[in-house]
């Protein structure tokens, strides 16, 4: 997840590799700096967390939840069965966790449905339709289809 705001000169696009995955810092800014371009930053006051990976997103979200005495964040319109187990998790909007399903240390994206008995741990889950037909870049985490969901393990 990228959380910064950039104000750029149009020539920065000369440094962005075409047709391949690229990282703003290593593939764009560092080569631009090496060629004498000026890159500057504004330092803001307050809390800031670097959320560039799925694992960091989960770890920092859980740390913030613990700070306020919680271990689960639930978005709008959830349906969580009383006999489901959900711990250390971030559930986005319209998530369904059916009877007997187990969630631990996980992020469930919008519209994810866990069926009875399904278990998700140390993972990020989105609806498989969001990634079908997409060829992930080489640097991307690998996942697998589980029912109607696409699951990426964070313990890779």
């Amino acid at each position: 997840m990228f959380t910064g705001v950039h104000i750029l000169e149009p020539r920065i696009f000369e440094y962005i590799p075409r047709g391949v995955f690229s990282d703003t810092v290593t593939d764009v800014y560092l080569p631009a700096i090496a060629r004498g371009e000026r890159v500057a930053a504004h330092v803001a006051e307050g809390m800031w967390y670097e959320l560039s990976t799925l694992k960091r997103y989960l770890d920092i979200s859980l740390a913030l939840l613990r700070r306020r005495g919680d271990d689960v964040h639930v978005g709008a319109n959830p349906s969580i069965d009383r006999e489901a187990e959900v711990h250390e998790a971030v559930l986005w909007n319209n998530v369904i966790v059916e009877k007997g399903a187990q969630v631990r240390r996980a992020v469930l994206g919008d519209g994810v449905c866990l069926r009875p008995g399904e278990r998700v741990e140390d993972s990020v889950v989105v609806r498989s339709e969001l990634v079908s037909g997409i060829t992930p870049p080489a640097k991307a985490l690998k996942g697998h289809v589980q029912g109607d969901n696409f699951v990426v393990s964070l313990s890779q």
Side-chain angles (χ1 to χ4, degrees), residues 121-132:
E121 186 169 355
D122 288 317
S123 299
V124 173
V125 182
V126 297
R127 302 273 304 148
S128 61
E129 64 198 32
L130 294 176
V131 296
S132 65

Side-chain angles (χ1 to χ4, degrees), residues 23-102:
D23 179 274
T24 307
V25 175
T26 59
D27 299 326
V28 180
Y29 288 158
L30 293 180
I33 291 168
R35 288 186 40 196
E37 300 286 353
R38 191 171 101 192
V39 175
H42 168 75
V43 179
E45 297 291 324
M47 293 185 347
W48 182 88
Y49 296 93
E50 199 277 312
L51 303 172
S52 66
T53 68
L54 297 173
K55 184 173 181 341
R56 284 186 191 132
Y57 172 80
L58 176 60
D59 289 345
I60 291 166
S61 296
L62 294 177
L64 292 171
L65 284 167
R66 280 191 293 274
R67 240 187 232 177
R68 68 177 202 204
D70 293 327
D71 80 333
V72 176
H73 169 79
V74 180
N77 304 313
S79 177
I80 303 170
D81 189 274
R82 288 189 170 151
E83 294 186 40
E85 292 183 32
V86 180
H87 303 283
E88 297 183 293
V90 177
L91 281 55
W92 291 7
N93 299 326
N94 304 307
V95 167
I96 300 169
V97 182
E98 295 183 349
K99 180 179 180 176
Q102 297 177 341

